[in-house]
Amino acid sequence: MRSMSEHDLCPRCGGHPAAHAPGCAAAPREMAAVEAEQTLLAFGPLGYEHCFGRPGLFVWMQKNNTEFVLTNRRVCGMRRGTVLFEIPLGWIGNLQVFPFMLGRVLWVQYWDGSAWKELSILGAALCHAQIDRAHEVLRGVIRPAGVVPPPAG
């Protein structure tokens, strides 16, 4: 059995063990076996932009400098090996894909414990397939808010 580190995330709520989401069943006890984090999709940095809100004409966008990594636990943006932002999958409440100018946007709305926040990842004209693929992958691994998982057995 391995010990927990500060980088391990709860497989149930997606939060750090010190701050579980309200109602998480793993909160009272330490997680015994945590599955390894696996990369499901990685793309960027060339041809991709991101901002923390809805994209617009006068919105500050970070261009061509962030690699986006989707794992079985989180969505994160990295630059030169440094994590710029990370969103545990359990925090995601809403996903949308829509066109913006000549590109396509993956818009993620998430709850960080105090407020709803947004992340938009914009793919240029030749990057539509990766944005659509990222949406499919995220839709497959997150559970919509308010949906009760089916009973086991």
Side-chain angles (χ1 to χ4, degrees):
M1 184 159 99
R2 70 185 195 64
S3 63
M4 297 287 292
S5 75
E6 72 262 15
H7 301 294
D8 286 333
L9 299 175
C10 174
R12 294 178 189 251
C13 70
H16 292 282
H20 285 276
C24 177
R29 63 186 185 280
E30 185 174 337
M31 296 174 292
V34 177
E35 66 182 71
E37 187 170 16
Q38 301 171 349
T39 300
L40 303 175
L41 182 66
F43 55 94
L46 296 177
Y48 297 94
E49 310 171 20
H50 77 279
C51 68
F52 296 100
R54 287 264 189 186
L57 236 42
F58 302 107
V59 174
W60 183 268
M61 303 283 287
Q62 296 284 323
K63 296 182 178 190
N64 299 326
N65 64 3
T66 306
E67 179 183 4
F68 302 96
V69 180
L70 285 65
T71 71
N72 59 341
R73 294 187 191 171
R74 62 187 174 153
V75 176
C76 63
M78 300 176 73
R79 185 179 310 141
R80 294 186 191 114
T82 303
V83 176
L84 300 175
F85 63 85
E86 65 178 337
I87 304 168
L89 295 180
W91 292 6
I92 296 175
N94 193 6
L95 290 172
Q96 261 184 338
V97 172
F98 56 87
F100 178 72
M101 298 180 126
L102 293 176
R104 187 175 301 262
V105 175
L106 172 63
W107 177 73
V108 178
Q109 187 178 33
Y110 62 97
W111 179 258
D112 77 342
S114 61
W116 285 101
K117 297 194 176 179
E118 300 174 345
L119 169 70
S120 294
I121 302 172
L122 173 67
L126 298 176
C127 303
H128 289 189
Q130 283 290 46
I131 295 293
D132 291 336
R133 179 71 183 129
H135 183 248
E136 289 174 17
V137 167
L138 284 174
R139 228 180 34 206
V141 295
I142 67 167
R143 189 172 20 126
V147 174
V148 180

mmCIF file of all heavy atoms in Angstrom, residues 49-89:
data_model
loop_
_atom_site.group_PDB
_atom_site.id
_atom_site.type_symbol
_atom_site.label_atom_id
_atom_site.label_comp_id
_atom_site.label_asym_id
_atom_site.label_seq_id
_atom_site.Cartn_x
_atom_site.Cartn_y
_atom_site.Cartn_z
ATOM 1 N N GLU A 49 -5.565 28.505 -27.932
ATOM 2 C CA GLU A 49 -5.573 29.648 -27.012
ATOM 3 C C GLU A 49 -6.461 29.283 -25.837
ATOM 4 O O GLU A 49 -7.303 28.389 -25.950
ATOM 5 C CB GLU A 49 -6.165 30.886 -27.687
ATOM 6 C CG GLU A 49 -5.590 31.225 -29.026
ATOM 7 C CD GLU A 49 -6.365 32.328 -29.734
ATOM 8 O OE1 GLU A 49 -7.097 33.078 -29.066
ATOM 9 O OE2 GLU A 49 -6.225 32.438 -30.954
ATOM 10 N N HIS A 50 -6.302 29.990 -24.731
ATOM 11 C CA HIS A 50 -7.226 29.785 -23.618
ATOM 12 C C HIS A 50 -7.436 31.083 -22.866
ATOM 13 O O HIS A 50 -6.613 31.992 -22.911
ATOM 14 C CB HIS A 50 -6.756 28.668 -22.675
ATOM 15 C CG HIS A 50 -5.651 29.069 -21.767
ATOM 16 N ND1 HIS A 50 -4.331 29.103 -22.147
ATOM 17 C CD2 HIS A 50 -5.669 29.464 -20.462
ATOM 18 C CE1 HIS A 50 -3.591 29.469 -21.135
ATOM 19 N NE2 HIS A 50 -4.372 29.725 -20.092
ATOM 20 N N CYS A 51 -8.586 31.154 -22.205
ATOM 21 C CA CYS A 51 -8.889 32.281 -21.330
ATOM 22 C C CYS A 51 -9.790 31.766 -20.215
ATOM 23 O O CYS A 51 -10.367 30.682 -20.317
ATOM 24 C CB CYS A 51 -9.554 33.434 -22.086
ATOM 25 S SG CYS A 51 -11.209 33.086 -22.691
ATOM 26 N N PHE A 52 -9.899 32.527 -19.152
ATOM 27 C CA PHE A 52 -10.720 32.134 -18.011
ATOM 28 C C PHE A 52 -12.025 32.910 -18.059
ATOM 29 O O PHE A 52 -12.259 33.835 -17.299
ATOM 30 C CB PHE A 52 -9.952 32.343 -16.702
ATOM 31 C CG PHE A 52 -8.744 31.459 -16.616
ATOM 32 C CD1 PHE A 52 -7.482 31.949 -16.895
ATOM 33 C CD2 PHE A 52 -8.882 30.122 -16.315
ATOM 34 C CE1 PHE A 52 -6.374 31.134 -16.843
ATOM 35 C CE2 PHE A 52 -7.777 29.289 -16.267
ATOM 36 C CZ PHE A 52 -6.519 29.799 -16.533
ATOM 37 N N GLY A 53 -12.875 32.539 -18.980
ATOM 38 C CA GLY A 53 -14.169 33.174 -19.222
ATOM 39 C C GLY A 53 -14.605 32.830 -20.635
ATOM 40 O O GLY A 53 -13.990 32.015 -21.319
ATOM 41 N N ARG A 54 -15.686 33.458 -21.102
ATOM 42 C CA ARG A 54 -16.130 33.270 -22.478
ATOM 43 C C ARG A 54 -15.214 34.058 -23.405
ATOM 44 O O ARG A 54 -14.818 35.177 -23.087
ATOM 45 C CB ARG A 54 -17.560 33.790 -22.642
ATOM 46 C CG ARG A 54 -18.589 32.910 -22.006
ATOM 47 C CD ARG A 54 -19.149 31.991 -23.022
ATOM 48 N NE ARG A 54 -20.288 31.285 -22.452
ATOM 49 C CZ ARG A 54 -20.899 30.333 -23.092
ATOM 50 N NH1 ARG A 54 -20.518 29.994 -24.298
ATOM 51 N NH2 ARG A 54 -21.901 29.713 -22.545
ATOM 52 N N PRO A 55 -14.877 33.492 -24.563
ATOM 53 C CA PRO A 55 -14.027 34.248 -25.482
ATOM 54 C C PRO A 55 -14.796 35.419 -26.090
ATOM 55 O O PRO A 55 -16.013 35.368 -26.236
ATOM 56 C CB PRO A 55 -13.656 33.215 -26.547
ATOM 57 C CG PRO A 55 -14.723 32.202 -26.483
ATOM 58 C CD PRO A 55 -15.211 32.176 -25.070
ATOM 59 N N GLY A 56 -14.085 36.456 -26.424
ATOM 60 C CA GLY A 56 -14.695 37.621 -27.040
ATOM 61 C C GLY A 56 -13.636 38.431 -27.748
ATOM 62 O O GLY A 56 -12.434 38.140 -27.672
ATOM 63 N N LEU A 57 -14.062 39.484 -28.433
ATOM 64 C CA LEU A 57 -13.145 40.322 -29.179
ATOM 65 C C LEU A 57 -12.136 41.020 -28.283
ATOM 66 O O LEU A 57 -10.975 41.164 -28.642
ATOM 67 C CB LEU A 57 -13.950 41.370 -29.953
ATOM 68 C CG LEU A 57 -13.731 41.427 -31.455
ATOM 69 C CD1 LEU A 57 -13.651 40.089 -32.092
ATOM 70 C CD2 LEU A 57 -14.738 42.312 -32.098
ATOM 71 N N PHE A 58 -12.560 41.456 -27.107
ATOM 72 C CA PHE A 58 -11.680 42.203 -26.208
ATOM 73 C C PHE A 58 -11.359 41.418 -24.933
ATOM 74 O O PHE A 58 -11.228 41.990 -23.870
ATOM 75 C CB PHE A 58 -12.316 43.547 -25.874
ATOM 76 C CG PHE A 58 -12.585 44.370 -27.097
ATOM 77 C CD1 PHE A 58 -13.872 44.534 -27.563
ATOM 78 C CD2 PHE A 58 -11.539 44.945 -27.789
ATOM 79 C CE1 PHE A 58 -14.114 45.283 -28.695
ATOM 80 C CE2 PHE A 58 -11.769 45.688 -28.925
ATOM 81 C CZ PHE A 58 -13.068 45.864 -29.388
ATOM 82 N N VAL A 59 -11.227 40.108 -25.066
ATOM 83 C CA VAL A 59 -10.896 39.244 -23.932
ATOM 84 C C VAL A 59 -9.432 38.825 -24.059
ATOM 85 O O VAL A 59 -8.970 38.460 -25.146
ATOM 86 C CB VAL A 59 -11.811 37.996 -23.906
ATOM 87 C CG1 VAL A 59 -11.384 37.029 -22.830
ATOM 88 C CG2 VAL A 59 -13.259 38.405 -23.719
ATOM 89 N N TRP A 60 -8.699 38.894 -22.956
ATOM 90 C CA TRP A 60 -7.297 38.505 -22.939
ATOM 91 C C TRP A 60 -7.173 37.000 -23.131
ATOM 92 O O TRP A 60 -7.688 36.225 -22.336
ATOM 93 C CB TRP A 60 -6.675 38.918 -21.606
ATOM 94 C CG TRP A 60 -5.220 38.633 -21.529
ATOM 95 C CD1 TRP A 60 -4.647 37.496 -21.049
ATOM 96 C CD2 TRP A 60 -4.156 39.462 -21.967
ATOM 97 N NE1 TRP A 60 -3.286 37.584 -21.146
ATOM 98 C CE2 TRP A 60 -2.956 38.789 -21.715
ATOM 99 C CE3 TRP A 60 -4.106 40.726 -22.550
ATOM 100 C CZ2 TRP A 60 -1.718 39.310 -22.016
ATOM 101 C CZ3 TRP A 60 -2.864 41.245 -22.846
ATOM 102 C CH2 TRP A 60 -1.700 40.544 -22.583
ATOM 103 N N MET A 61 -6.502 36.581 -24.205
ATOM 104 C CA MET A 61 -6.321 35.164 -24.524
ATOM 105 C C MET A 61 -4.828 34.831 -24.498
ATOM 106 O O MET A 61 -4.013 35.601 -24.997
ATOM 107 C CB MET A 61 -6.859 34.861 -25.930
ATOM 108 C CG MET A 61 -8.316 35.214 -26.160
ATOM 109 S SD MET A 61 -9.471 34.053 -25.457
ATOM 110 C CE MET A 61 -9.327 32.671 -26.537
ATOM 111 N N GLN A 62 -4.492 33.704 -23.909
ATOM 112 C CA GLN A 62 -3.127 33.182 -23.939
ATOM 113 C C GLN A 62 -2.998 32.354 -25.218
ATOM 114 O O GLN A 62 -3.722 31.376 -25.390
ATOM 115 C CB GLN A 62 -2.861 32.311 -22.724
ATOM 116 C CG GLN A 62 -2.915 33.040 -21.411
ATOM 117 C CD GLN A 62 -1.663 33.857 -21.195
ATOM 118 O OE1 GLN A 62 -0.578 33.447 -21.564
ATOM 119 N NE2 GLN A 62 -1.824 35.012 -20.591
ATOM 120 N N LYS A 63 -2.093 32.715 -26.115
ATOM 121 C CA LYS A 63 -2.000 32.074 -27.424
ATOM 122 C C LYS A 63 -0.725 31.254 -27.564
ATOM 123 O O LYS A 63 0.363 31.725 -27.223
ATOM 124 C CB LYS A 63 -2.019 33.125 -28.536
ATOM 125 C CG LYS A 63 -3.308 33.896 -28.621
ATOM 126 C CD LYS A 63 -3.262 34.862 -29.773
ATOM 127 C CE LYS A 63 -4.599 35.585 -29.848
ATOM 128 N NZ LYS A 63 -4.714 36.362 -31.065
ATOM 129 N N ASN A 64 -0.876 30.039 -28.088
ATOM 130 C CA ASN A 64 0.245 29.196 -28.509
ATOM 131 C C ASN A 64 1.317 28.983 -27.440
ATOM 132 O O ASN A 64 2.489 28.865 -27.745
ATOM 133 C CB ASN A 64 0.913 29.799 -29.754
ATOM 134 C CG ASN A 64 -0.022 29.890 -30.920
ATOM 135 O OD1 ASN A 64 -0.898 29.045 -31.097
ATOM 136 N ND2 ASN A 64 0.146 30.914 -31.728
ATOM 137 N N ASN A 65 0.923 28.952 -26.168
ATOM 138 C CA ASN A 65 1.938 28.766 -25.136
ATOM 139 C C ASN A 65 1.543 27.741 -24.081
ATOM 140 O O ASN A 65 2.247 27.581 -23.110
ATOM 141 C CB ASN A 65 2.266 30.099 -24.458
ATOM 142 C CG ASN A 65 1.085 30.689 -23.718
ATOM 143 O OD1 ASN A 65 0.017 30.097 -23.652
ATOM 144 N ND2 ASN A 65 1.273 31.862 -23.154
ATOM 145 N N THR A 66 0.433 27.055 -24.268
ATOM 146 C CA THR A 66 -0.038 26.116 -23.245
ATOM 147 C C THR A 66 -0.376 24.770 -23.877
ATOM 148 O O THR A 66 -1.076 24.718 -24.880
ATOM 149 C CB THR A 66 -1.289 26.676 -22.540
ATOM 150 O OG1 THR A 66 -0.989 27.980 -22.053
ATOM 151 C CG2 THR A 66 -1.709 25.793 -21.393
ATOM 152 N N GLU A 67 0.135 23.705 -23.272
ATOM 153 C CA GLU A 67 -0.250 22.355 -23.675
ATOM 154 C C GLU A 67 -1.389 21.914 -22.768
ATOM 155 O O GLU A 67 -1.306 22.057 -21.548
ATOM 156 C CB GLU A 67 0.923 21.390 -23.535
ATOM 157 C CG GLU A 67 0.554 19.977 -23.913
ATOM 158 C CD GLU A 67 1.683 18.988 -23.706
ATOM 159 O OE1 GLU A 67 2.740 19.382 -23.188
ATOM 160 O OE2 GLU A 67 1.475 17.814 -24.045
ATOM 161 N N PHE A 68 -2.447 21.391 -23.344
ATOM 162 C CA PHE A 68 -3.619 20.956 -22.580
ATOM 163 C C PHE A 68 -3.583 19.447 -22.444
ATOM 164 O O PHE A 68 -3.391 18.729 -23.422
ATOM 165 C CB PHE A 68 -4.900 21.407 -23.281
ATOM 166 C CG PHE A 68 -4.950 22.895 -23.469
ATOM 167 C CD1 PHE A 68 -4.564 23.467 -24.655
ATOM 168 C CD2 PHE A 68 -5.345 23.715 -22.431
ATOM 169 C CE1 PHE A 68 -4.577 24.841 -24.823
ATOM 170 C CE2 PHE A 68 -5.360 25.088 -22.586
ATOM 171 C CZ PHE A 68 -4.982 25.654 -23.786
ATOM 172 N N VAL A 69 -3.756 18.967 -21.206
ATOM 173 C CA VAL A 69 -3.683 17.541 -20.909
ATOM 174 C C VAL A 69 -4.964 17.134 -20.192
ATOM 175 O O VAL A 69 -5.329 17.720 -19.173
ATOM 176 C CB VAL A 69 -2.453 17.215 -20.031
ATOM 177 C CG1 VAL A 69 -2.394 15.737 -19.732
ATOM 178 C CG2 VAL A 69 -1.178 17.684 -20.699
ATOM 179 N N LEU A 70 -5.660 16.135 -20.732
ATOM 180 C CA LEU A 70 -6.857 15.581 -20.111
ATOM 181 C C LEU A 70 -6.488 14.209 -19.587
ATOM 182 O O LEU A 70 -6.014 13.357 -20.339
ATOM 183 C CB LEU A 70 -7.989 15.449 -21.123
ATOM 184 C CG LEU A 70 -8.709 16.716 -21.546
ATOM 185 C CD1 LEU A 70 -7.807 17.657 -22.302
ATOM 186 C CD2 LEU A 70 -9.911 16.372 -22.376
ATOM 187 N N THR A 71 -6.668 13.995 -18.286
ATOM 188 C CA THR A 71 -6.366 12.707 -17.678
ATOM 189 C C THR A 71 -7.655 12.114 -17.121
ATOM 190 O O THR A 71 -8.710 12.727 -17.207
ATOM 191 C CB THR A 71 -5.320 12.839 -16.552
ATOM 192 O OG1 THR A 71 -5.919 13.502 -15.439
ATOM 193 C CG2 THR A 71 -4.090 13.603 -17.014
ATOM 194 N N ASN A 72 -7.539 10.947 -16.523
ATOM 195 C CA ASN A 72 -8.711 10.336 -15.904
ATOM 196 C C ASN A 72 -9.086 11.010 -14.594
ATOM 197 O O ASN A 72 -10.071 10.644 -13.970
ATOM 198 C CB ASN A 72 -8.484 8.840 -15.690
ATOM 199 C CG ASN A 72 -7.284 8.560 -14.819
ATOM 200 O OD1 ASN A 72 -6.407 9.407 -14.643
ATOM 201 N ND2 ASN A 72 -7.227 7.353 -14.271
ATOM 202 N N ARG A 73 -8.323 12.032 -14.158
ATOM 203 C CA ARG A 73 -8.613 12.747 -12.918
ATOM 204 C C ARG A 73 -8.818 14.244 -13.086
ATOM 205 O O ARG A 73 -9.467 14.868 -12.266
ATOM 206 C CB ARG A 73 -7.473 12.577 -11.928
ATOM 207 C CG ARG A 73 -7.295 11.190 -11.435
ATOM 208 C CD ARG A 73 -6.255 11.233 -10.359
ATOM 209 N NE ARG A 73 -5.844 9.894 -10.016
ATOM 210 C CZ ARG A 73 -4.841 9.634 -9.232
ATOM 211 N NH1 ARG A 73 -4.133 10.606 -8.716
ATOM 212 N NH2 ARG A 73 -4.525 8.396 -8.945
ATOM 213 N N ARG A 74 -8.205 14.852 -14.119
ATOM 214 C CA ARG A 74 -8.222 16.309 -14.192
ATOM 215 C C ARG A 74 -7.993 16.811 -15.614
ATOM 216 O O ARG A 74 -7.558 16.076 -16.490
ATOM 217 C CB ARG A 74 -7.154 16.896 -13.278
ATOM 218 C CG ARG A 74 -5.757 16.482 -13.662
ATOM 219 C CD ARG A 74 -4.728 16.920 -12.674
ATOM 220 N NE ARG A 74 -3.426 16.366 -13.050
ATOM 221 C CZ ARG A 74 -2.290 16.913 -12.749
ATOM 222 N NH1 ARG A 74 -2.245 18.030 -12.051
ATOM 223 N NH2 ARG A 74 -1.158 16.358 -13.109
ATOM 224 N N VAL A 75 -8.259 18.098 -15.789
ATOM 225 C CA VAL A 75 -7.900 18.835 -16.988
ATOM 226 C C VAL A 75 -6.836 19.826 -16.536
ATOM 227 O O VAL A 75 -7.028 20.539 -15.554
ATOM 228 C CB VAL A 75 -9.104 19.615 -17.551
ATOM 229 C CG1 VAL A 75 -8.696 20.456 -18.748
ATOM 230 C CG2 VAL A 75 -10.242 18.688 -17.897
ATOM 231 N N CYS A 76 -5.698 19.861 -17.214
ATOM 232 C CA CYS A 76 -4.677 20.807 -16.787
ATOM 233 C C CYS A 76 -4.008 21.455 -17.990
ATOM 234 O O CYS A 76 -4.011 20.915 -19.089
ATOM 235 C CB CYS A 76 -3.650 20.157 -15.865
ATOM 236 S SG CYS A 76 -2.688 18.854 -16.593
ATOM 237 N N GLY A 77 -3.481 22.627 -17.746
ATOM 238 C CA GLY A 77 -2.717 23.357 -18.737
ATOM 239 C C GLY A 77 -1.285 23.442 -18.257
ATOM 240 O O GLY A 77 -1.034 23.777 -17.104
ATOM 241 N N MET A 78 -0.348 23.119 -19.135
ATOM 242 C CA MET A 78 1.059 23.085 -18.746
ATOM 243 C C MET A 78 1.884 23.919 -19.711
ATOM 244 O O MET A 78 1.593 23.977 -20.902
ATOM 245 C CB MET A 78 1.566 21.646 -18.760
ATOM 246 C CG MET A 78 0.817 20.727 -17.825
ATOM 247 S SD MET A 78 1.369 19.043 -17.946
ATOM 248 C CE MET A 78 2.929 19.164 -17.138
ATOM 249 N N ARG A 79 2.919 24.542 -19.162
ATOM 250 C CA ARG A 79 3.885 25.287 -19.963
ATOM 251 C C ARG A 79 5.271 24.911 -19.484
ATOM 252 O O ARG A 79 5.601 25.110 -18.315
ATOM 253 C CB ARG A 79 3.664 26.785 -19.815
ATOM 254 C CG ARG A 79 4.569 27.600 -20.719
ATOM 255 C CD ARG A 79 4.355 29.095 -20.611
ATOM 256 N NE ARG A 79 2.955 29.435 -20.734
ATOM 257 C CZ ARG A 79 2.369 30.392 -20.009
ATOM 258 N NH1 ARG A 79 3.062 31.072 -19.120
ATOM 259 N NH2 ARG A 79 1.102 30.655 -20.170
ATOM 260 N N ARG A 80 6.052 24.304 -20.356
ATOM 261 C CA ARG A 80 7.424 23.882 -20.038
ATOM 262 C C ARG A 80 7.490 23.014 -18.785
ATOM 263 O O ARG A 80 8.352 23.188 -17.933
ATOM 264 C CB ARG A 80 8.324 25.090 -19.884
ATOM 265 C CG ARG A 80 8.521 25.865 -21.150
ATOM 266 C CD ARG A 80 9.550 26.964 -20.962
ATOM 267 N NE ARG A 80 9.518 27.843 -22.097
ATOM 268 C CZ ARG A 80 9.130 29.111 -22.035
ATOM 269 N NH1 ARG A 80 8.758 29.648 -20.899
ATOM 270 N NH2 ARG A 80 9.123 29.843 -23.118
ATOM 271 N N GLY A 81 6.520 22.106 -18.635
ATOM 272 C CA GLY A 81 6.511 21.198 -17.493
ATOM 273 C C GLY A 81 5.904 21.756 -16.231
ATOM 274 O O GLY A 81 5.758 21.044 -15.247
ATOM 275 N N THR A 82 5.527 23.032 -16.220
ATOM 276 C CA THR A 82 4.909 23.650 -15.048
ATOM 277 C C THR A 82 3.400 23.681 -15.230
ATOM 278 O O THR A 82 2.907 24.110 -16.280
ATOM 279 C CB THR A 82 5.415 25.104 -14.878
ATOM 280 O OG1 THR A 82 6.838 25.074 -14.788
ATOM 281 C CG2 THR A 82 4.829 25.744 -13.646
ATOM 282 N N VAL A 83 2.662 23.242 -14.236
ATOM 283 C CA VAL A 83 1.203 23.249 -14.302
ATOM 284 C C VAL A 83 0.709 24.673 -14.056
ATOM 285 O O VAL A 83 0.948 25.252 -13.004
ATOM 286 C CB VAL A 83 0.599 22.272 -13.261
ATOM 287 C CG1 VAL A 83 -0.912 22.362 -13.271
ATOM 288 C CG2 VAL A 83 1.052 20.853 -13.551
ATOM 289 N N LEU A 84 0.004 25.230 -15.045
ATOM 290 C CA LEU A 84 -0.553 26.581 -14.928
ATOM 291 C C LEU A 84 -1.906 26.564 -14.230
ATOM 292 O O LEU A 84 -2.220 27.450 -13.447
ATOM 293 C CB LEU A 84 -0.714 27.213 -16.310
ATOM 294 C CG LEU A 84 0.551 27.371 -17.126
ATOM 295 C CD1 LEU A 84 0.219 27.891 -18.512
ATOM 296 C CD2 LEU A 84 1.498 28.311 -16.415
ATOM 297 N N PHE A 85 -2.719 25.576 -14.581
ATOM 298 C CA PHE A 85 -4.025 25.417 -13.952
ATOM 299 C C PHE A 85 -4.409 23.947 -14.003
ATOM 300 O O PHE A 85 -3.924 23.203 -14.845
ATOM 301 C CB PHE A 85 -5.093 26.280 -14.647
ATOM 302 C CG PHE A 85 -5.349 25.909 -16.080
ATOM 303 C CD1 PHE A 85 -6.243 24.896 -16.420
ATOM 304 C CD2 PHE A 85 -4.687 26.556 -17.099
ATOM 305 C CE1 PHE A 85 -6.470 24.559 -17.734
ATOM 306 C CE2 PHE A 85 -4.907 26.236 -18.422
ATOM 307 C CZ PHE A 85 -5.798 25.228 -18.748
ATOM 308 N N GLU A 86 -5.246 23.543 -13.063
ATOM 309 C CA GLU A 86 -5.778 22.182 -13.069
ATOM 310 C C GLU A 86 -7.204 22.212 -12.558
ATOM 311 O O GLU A 86 -7.533 22.941 -11.626
ATOM 312 C CB GLU A 86 -4.916 21.223 -12.256
ATOM 313 C CG GLU A 86 -4.846 21.505 -10.783
ATOM 314 C CD GLU A 86 -4.008 20.473 -10.041
ATOM 315 O OE1 GLU A 86 -3.844 19.352 -10.542
ATOM 316 O OE2 GLU A 86 -3.541 20.812 -8.958
ATOM 317 N N ILE A 87 -8.051 21.433 -13.213
ATOM 318 C CA ILE A 87 -9.458 21.339 -12.838
ATOM 319 C C ILE A 87 -9.774 19.863 -12.633
ATOM 320 O O ILE A 87 -9.805 19.100 -13.600
ATOM 321 C CB ILE A 87 -10.360 21.918 -13.940
ATOM 322 C CG1 ILE A 87 -9.971 23.355 -14.270
ATOM 323 C CG2 ILE A 87 -11.825 21.822 -13.535
ATOM 324 C CD1 ILE A 87 -10.616 23.898 -15.524
ATOM 325 N N PRO A 88 -9.993 19.428 -11.397
ATOM 326 C CA PRO A 88 -10.388 18.033 -11.168
ATOM 327 C C PRO A 88 -11.722 17.749 -11.863
ATOM 328 O O PRO A 88 -12.607 18.618 -11.917
ATOM 329 C CB PRO A 88 -10.530 17.947 -9.654
ATOM 330 C CG PRO A 88 -9.672 19.054 -9.134
ATOM 331 C CD PRO A 88 -9.780 20.146 -10.142
ATOM 332 N N LEU A 89 -11.878 16.560 -12.415
ATOM 333 C CA LEU A 89 -13.081 16.219 -13.172
ATOM 334 C C LEU A 89 -14.348 16.314 -12.332
ATOM 335 O O LEU A 89 -15.411 16.628 -12.849
ATOM 336 C CB LEU A 89 -12.950 14.819 -13.769
ATOM 337 C CG LEU A 89 -11.848 14.660 -14.816
ATOM 338 C CD1 LEU A 89 -11.825 13.237 -15.332
ATOM 339 C CD2 LEU A 89 -12.011 15.640 -15.952
#
